[in-house]
Amino acid sequence: MGDSVICELQNITKRFPGVVALDQVNLSIKKGEILAIVGENGAGKSTLMNILSGVFPPSEGRILYEGQERRFSHTREAQELGIAMIHQELSLSNALSIAENIFQGRLPKKATGLIDKKKLFQDSQKLLEQVGLGGVDVKTLVRDINASQQQQVEIAKALSLHAKLLILDEPTSALTPAEANVLHGVMGKLREEGITMLYISHKLDEIMKISDRIAVFRDGRYIETLITKDTTVERMISLMVGRENSAAYTRARYMSEEDYNSRPVVMEVKNMTVHKKVQDVSFKLYQGEILGITGLVGAGRTELLQAVFGADKREHGEVYIEGKEIKIKHPSDAIKSGMGLVPEGRKAQGLFLEMNVRENMSIVNLKDQISGFRLIRRQEERKKVTEFNNRLRVKTPSLEQKIVNLSGGNQQKVIIARWLMNNPKFLFLDEPTQGIDIGAKTEIYDIIHELSENGMSVIVVSSEMQEIMSLCDRVIVMYEGKVSGELIHSDFEEEKLMTFMSGK
Amino acid sequence: MKDRVGKLKAVTGRTEFSVFLGLLLLTVAMSIASPFFLKTSNIFNVLSQISRYGIISVGMALVIITGGIDLSVGYVVGLCACVAAWLTSQAHLPWPAVLLLVLLLGTVIGTVNGLLVTKMKLVPFIVTLATGKILSGCTLLLTKGMPISFESSLAWLGSGYIGPIPVCVIIMFLVIIGGSVFAQCTLTGRNIYAVGNNERTAELSGIKVKKLKCSVYIITSLLSALCGIIVAGNLYSSDASLGIGYETDIIAAVVIGGVSMSGGEGTVWGSLIGAAIMGILKNAFVLLNISSYWQSVVIGIVIIVAVALDVLRVNKKEK
């Protein structure tokens, strides 16, 4: 590894409406190194990588690449210069062969205009050998190879574009430890060939193993670059967390140890297992408690919650409510026993986008507003929706407004209202404030706090450390499908949580 | 006042409203173009033509609102018409038994369609295409390709009158009204829209998505079976060609009526307007003495115009 610099970022600032995502960032990337980029969610890692790979230009600042100032307005421009980004979600076409994927859109042609298969297969084979997939037939369909092999094909695709600087965004989040090892082997090999890699990951132990240097980001600012072999995970975590905790949300009261001794357990989950996602997880939920479940993406938090709710197929696992076992085969069973779930991904799982606010809110409770002839009592529906609309202060021009036209925060309030109308005993919220502005966030925290004060037991799944720390009475940390740690509020420390999250 | 304007806008902004305007326009144009058009006998003639499509379109609209499709309807009509005729003339069963058995047959076919779509997770297009083929073969096997004529009180459903009004027209209006109330005013109806809008959200809201989707296929086949009896009763005879091509006309009526093929949107009564437009167009070719070969051409154009207008309207709204 020489000391020549391949890329230098100078005073990069990126502003989005209402937020500064990156603030005066300076970073130099050395030729042929693996530079890890770490930071909490919202630290600005993704924004930086998007600027470097040409997804959008910076608001201010200069990018010097191979000694020349560059300004990319499209990913293609960055690609032509040898900067390739490999996204978390792969962009491969499942029904095409490996070779066709590598040269997608650039298939070699013969003089007749037909595809030159011989050249295609030969070139692809060479690239596969380069990324350690030499033994795999290039004609294999992408859907028939495993996740890490797909990652390798993605890298081969980047290399076919003569990439000199590879950006890998959480490449191992969907991989098993063994698969991740293979990928790390490939990365080591590419480094020997002089290819520079930026490695974004939350998995700190992986970073310690594979990287040469580590650049730490916090709140949109570049903090420091560490030399991997001279540093420790603890040092990295303390830099990521920072010392000051900026004005965070706090509840009036959190459950104390005495509370835990005196309050009844209202729900108990035993040995919950979901194929490949959750392994043998058990936990208790107390009356009026806000329980946080956190962990990295892919740790199995969402799957655990959905399995309890009957929405995800479980292999085994029991749910007890007030000591009695409840058979939950479908969400309707969970709802009958008093549960409600505000799922992650509002558009995908939470909303009926083309339906109006009233219909979105009343959908669960409508069964209680039916007349003798099985007709919906419209007056009652409207009355009840109006009541909850006001109670949660949903800002909408009318109840007949299509929900797609509301802001994220108001959409989320409608989904919460949907469950509150049904008067649940347990409310599960999965990433409740994702993509919601700060004002609405606080309002949602207040709602959750008030519910718990009134005796409702709440589970909040979140990957935002700050959210877990300021909202929850207790937190369970998951790592690769298992519980890796548990803390009550008085013992909350960001460092401890981070350590649990990385599986230590 | 403001609320009233808003409500008016909500009504006029709907696809059904513009389609209804189209229907009015067509009616006015036809009554000018042909003196026979507004005669009572012609109107009832058109209505009884429409009734075949109108009845099934209620079920089809529900299926499409859930995001599915049913291509087997025409073959259900054909098979049920022939089974009704066969049970009457060959098995000599009394008409209530025939009615019951045929409706039961419809239910069974619908259940098979529904289970294949929900339990086996097969694509509705393929499932109903295939069951349609099977049913068409069954009809030929039953009739050996020959017409079966029959005499039965059941024929009253297809050829009877109450006063000046054909019975099948009354049945159609009853089915449309029932279907509209079901879709707009009942919990199941609301849930059908929810499933069409977002299946996952519906599931997480406690709706039994599979059961619901299965039920709309059953409703559609049941209505197709009823229609089969009407068609057979109208002719006092059944053969394997009855019902062929119904699916395309019915889907066209539903789409013209404003139901979105991607599911979640539209109304049941809109399909009646769609069916009416197609019925009047067909009648127009007869009255105005235009070659019937032009029929398909014009109906095809109408479908494209209706759907294109709808897309334009949606795009405009989103801007």
Side-chain angles (χ1 to χ4, degrees), chain A residues 306 309 311 330-332 335 347-355 358 362-363 366 375-376 378 381 419, chain B residues 181 184-188 190-191 193-195 197-198 200-209 265 317-318:
Chain A
Q306 299 222 348
F309 196 67
H330 186 270
S332 59
I335 294 167
K347 286 205 168 127
Q349 305 196 70
L351 296 173
F352 302 106
L353 281 175
E354 294 297 323
M355 295 169 84
R358 171 176 53 83
S362 66
I363 190 81
L366 205 55
L375 300 182
I376 297 167
R378 298 237 173 199
E381 182 194 1
W419 293 108
Chain B
V181 171
Q184 306 303 323
C185 306
T186 69
L187 183 60
T188 316
R190 180 75 63 83
N191 288 348
Y193 282 92
V195 167
N197 232 280
N198 189 332
R200 183 67 183 166
T201 310
E203 187 89 33
L204 292 181
S205 306
I207 296 171
K208 290 186 171 145
V209 174
E265 269 188 298
K317 235 189 194 169
E318 274 168 9

Side-chain angles (χ1 to χ4, degrees), chain B residues 3 8 28 32-33 40 52 58 62 78 83 113 122 149 153 155-156 203 208 214 229 252 264-265 294 296 303 310-311:
Chain B
D3 205 36
L8 194 68
V28 172
I32 295 168
T40 322
R52 292 152 176 67
V58 170
L62 294 176
V83 167
N113 278 338
L122 303 182
S149 46
S153 329
W156 178 76
E203 187 89 33
K208 290 186 171 145
C214 200
I229 296 175
E265 269 188 298
W294 282 101
S296 299
I303 295 171
D310 199 34
V311 169

Side-chain angles (χ1 to χ4, degrees), chain B residues 5-40:
Chain B
V5 174
K7 267 186 186 163
L8 194 68
K9 262 193 186 158
V11 171
T12 55
R14 294 191 71 114
T15 319
E16 290 88 346
F17 184 77
S18 38
V19 179
F20 186 67
L21 281 185
L23 175 64
L24 276 184
L25 219 67
L26 192 63
T27 312
V28 172
M30 272 312 294
S31 46
I32 295 168
S34 163
F36 298 104
F37 182 72
L38 280 183
K39 283 200 168 171
T40 322

Side-chain angles (χ1 to χ4, degrees), chain A residues 104-166:
Chain A
Q104 205 169 45
R106 301 169 289 121
L107 296 171
K109 283 182 202 149
K110 288 192 267 199
T112 52
L114 299 177
I115 294 167
D116 187 348
K117 293 227 165 155
K118 206 173 140 199
K119 184 168 164 37
L120 172 67
F121 293 146
Q122 277 174 355
D123 290 356
S124 306
Q125 192 62 45
K126 267 186 230 151
L127 287 163
L128 283 194
E129 274 159 26
Q130 211 179 340
V131 297
L133 270 185
V136 176
D137 185 357
V138 294
K139 285 172 247 170
T140 316
L141 298 186
V142 161
R143 74 157 86 94
D144 295 331
I145 58 179
N146 68 32
S148 70
Q149 290 172 326
Q150 291 182 0
Q151 233 5 300
Q152 283 161 282
V153 170
E154 190 80 40
I155 295 173
K157 188 173 162 185
L159 294 180
S160 77
L161 290 156
H162 308 290
K164 295 174 216 160
L165 176 57
L166 275 182

Side-chain angles (χ1 to χ4, degrees), chain B residues 8 15 23 31 49 81 101 142-143 160 198 210 240 248 264 273 301:
Chain B
L8 194 68
T15 319
L23 175 64
S31 46
Q49 294 291 329
L101 283 172
L142 176 74
T143 60
N198 189 332
K210 285 184 179 171
T248 50
I273 302 174
I301 292 172

